[in-house]
Amino acid sequence: MTAVQERPVGGSLIHQFELGLDAPICLTWELTYACNLACAHCLSSSGKRDPRELSTEQCEAVIDELQRMQVFYVNIGGGEPTIRPDFWHLLAYAVDHQVGVKFSTNGVRITPERARFLASTDYVDVQISLDGATADVNDYVRGPGSYDTALAALQNLQDAGFKDAKISVVCTRENIGQLDEFKELADRYGATLRLTRLRPSGRGADVWDELHPLPAQQKVLYDWLMAHGEDVLTGDSFFHLAAFGESLPGLNLCGAGRVVCLIDPIGDVYACPFAIHDNFLAGSLLAEGGFQRVWQTSELFTELRSPQTGGACAKCSFFDSCRGGCMAAKFFTGLPLDGPDPECVQGYGETALAGERSIPAASQDHSRSGATRNQPVLLQLMTRPPVSACAESPLAGYEPSSQGGCC
């Protein structure tokens, strides 16, 4: 078992975060794997509900514990969380117990009535998922009709007077050229743009070779974020881009198991919202001691909070900036966790990908067995298999400040 490192007095905020906190600043909670869509890049391979998902009473108990631990907010996702019949009850229950809620939705249940309710509620943030600034690009990945659904939800929120909704975009090869258009959409609806990284997990593993941004597009994204980053949220999605030279605004650190984690629909706790896999399973909140015991004592989290070796990356002059990149991206492309990020902007990832590697099999899949009416066009058009089996903050919305506050 890895020894717990004694926390030093003082030091930078980032260094304190690396050693972990007594409670996560925020956490992602996948309330259900049920979803009306079947997005091609879904991290959790959502579609069907897991019959073991936590009951309303169990969810309330989780919220009670988060309140006791003084968790700043919970980022609720899925699946499509609003499909759960008790979603609106649980949202209100969290707010009433001083746990802020940020929830991600494709917009299917954001009716004018619900939008008015959200506009009247404190401590709630709404993220509408949109992966194309135009219908053809978005629906290619998220399914026919999903673009119109998302824009209707944004319009309903704006009409209801909801302030500062988020447009949440997964950056792909198809939409990097639309960054300005995304920003214009956000401005039109009085929203804030949030960009996240495509990860090769869940169904994203099947389309990663086809959808992840090309090296030249990574530089386009970096330059755009350097110019607009103060007005755009990224969480910890793009710290691997720091190897271009200058760190981006925000937290340039992998927060997995240190300041963030994930709770899945059945109460299992994972280190990273982008790595729902047995290798990153820290425990179950249904066991004795609940979530607090998992967060504070699990061997996996203790290991992640211990000093990490840089492996081959430690020799790179940019290691202190990019920290070796994303743990989930490396794992799901079969690269060692102490090796380079598969999208390393200095080119070391390409060399690593060309070598011998073992692609991990998915540990769970909640995809529907048959196609749905909202099946992404991407999967219908693919006439060949991906090149390989492996074909974004957590800290979403969290920005460190001199006062140590969160926004």
Side-chain angles (χ1 to χ4, degrees):
M1 182 174 177
T2 306
V4 178
Q5 184 180 13
E6 185 176 346
R7 183 179 297 278
V9 177
S12 69
L13 186 63
I14 296 298
H15 186 48
Q16 293 290 332
F17 282 177
E18 284 185 305
L19 299 176
L21 302 175
D22 289 339
I25 292 172
C26 65
L27 59 85
T28 296
W29 186 0
E30 309 284 31
L31 272 183
T32 183
Y33 288 133
C35 191
N36 58 305
L37 300 182
C39 299
H41 57 355
C42 181
L43 291 166
S44 55
S45 299
S46 289
K48 295 185 296 185
R49 172 184 174 273
D50 191 313
R52 302 169 296 167
E53 69 184 32
L54 300 176
S55 67
T56 300
E57 292 73 20
Q58 288 173 317
C59 289
E60 290 174 347
V62 172
I63 294 169
D64 292 341
E65 186 168 19
L66 298 182
Q67 180 188 26
R68 289 194 297 271
M69 293 178 69
Q70 297 184 313
V71 172
F72 183 70
Y73 71 85
V74 59
N75 186 6
I76 293 179
E80 171 52 46
T82 63
I83 284 180
R84 265 191 70 131
D86 60 359
F87 170 76
W88 302 103
H89 164 75
L90 292 174
L91 183 150
Y93 189 90
V95 171
D96 288 344
H97 288 76
Q98 295 78 51
V99 177
V101 175
K102 180 193 297 288
F103 73 93
S104 299
T105 174
N106 57 47
V108 66
R109 296 284 174 85
I110 308 299
T111 62
E113 179 185 10
R114 291 301 186 189
R116 287 191 292 271
F117 163 74
L118 291 167
S120 69
T121 306
D122 293 329
Y123 306 114
V124 175
D125 198 9
V126 185
Q127 296 183 161
I128 305 296
S129 297
L130 193 70
D131 293 333
T134 53
D136 58 332
V137 174
N138 178 83
D139 293 3
Y140 180 67
V141 173
R142 300 187 63 83
S146 56
Y147 179 84
D148 292 338
T149 297
L151 261 57
L154 287 165
Q155 187 66 62
N156 288 339
L157 289 168
Q158 186 178 47
D159 291 345
F162 186 89
K163 302 299 183 184
D164 197 26
K166 307 298 184 292
I167 296 179
S168 185
V169 178
V170 176
C171 293
T172 70
R173 192 173 303 179
E174 302 293 324
N175 65 24
I176 289 294
Q178 297 186 319
L179 294 173
D180 287 335
E181 294 173 73
F182 280 122
K183 187 64 171 63
E184 290 170 3
L185 271 176
D187 292 343
R188 182 194 310 170
Y189 290 105
T192 296
L193 182 61
R194 175 178 179 259
L195 301 181
T196 61
R197 184 180 178 185
L198 175 70
R199 264 80 169 196
S201 55
R203 286 197 294 269
D206 299 326
V207 297
W208 192 76
D209 277 342
E210 182 168 351
L211 284 183
H212 80 91
L214 297 169
Q217 292 178 312
Q218 298 274 13
K219 185 60 164 62
V220 169
L221 174 60
Y222 174 78
D223 290 342
W224 194 88
L225 286 172
M226 290 301 296
H228 301 275
E230 296 295 340
D231 301 316
V232 176
L233 301 176
T234 60
D236 66 350
S237 279
F238 301 112
F239 60 93
H240 70 294
L241 298 180
F244 275 126
E246 184 179 347
S247 295
L248 295 166
L251 186 68
N252 286 276
L253 168 75
C254 173
R258 298 181 174 110
V259 293
V260 299
C261 66
L262 175 135
I263 299 173
D264 81 351
I266 65 172
D268 284 340
V269 181
Y270 294 85
C272 173
F274 308 113
I276 307 174
H277 190 278
D278 292 343
N279 283 46
F280 300 100
L281 177 60
S284 171
L285 55 76
L286 296 178
E288 184 180 355
F291 173 75
Q292 183 168 358
R293 182 170 183 178
V294 176
W295 176 260
Q296 296 182 352
T297 69
S298 78
E299 290 191 25
L300 175 62
F301 287 170
T302 300
E303 180 180 353
L304 289 172
R305 295 162 190 165
S306 65
Q308 302 294 306
T309 64
C313 283
K315 301 175 183 178
C316 176
S317 60
F318 293 101
F319 176 69
D320 287 341
S321 299
C322 79
R323 319 293 288 186
C326 174
M327 175 179 72
K330 288 187 275 192
F331 176 77
F332 287 109
T333 50
L335 299 181
L337 297 187
D338 63 353
D341 189 289
E343 293 183 298
C344 168
V345 300
Q346 295 297 312
Y348 298 119
E350 295 176 44
T351 302
L353 290 171
E356 186 175 342
R357 53 198 172 100
S358 177
I359 308 297
S363 58
Q364 55 180 295
D365 189 346
H366 293 86
S367 303
R368 297 186 185 90
S369 56
T372 73
R373 64 185 178 86
N374 293 115
Q375 194 78 16
V377 179
L378 172 68
L379 300 185
Q380 293 174 351
L381 291 183
M382 286 182 69
T383 56
R384 57 176 175 77
V387 176
S388 73
C390 237
E392 158 306 82
S393 189
L395 291 177
Y398 173 77
E399 301 292 344
S401 69
S402 58
Q403 289 78 32
C406 302
C407 57

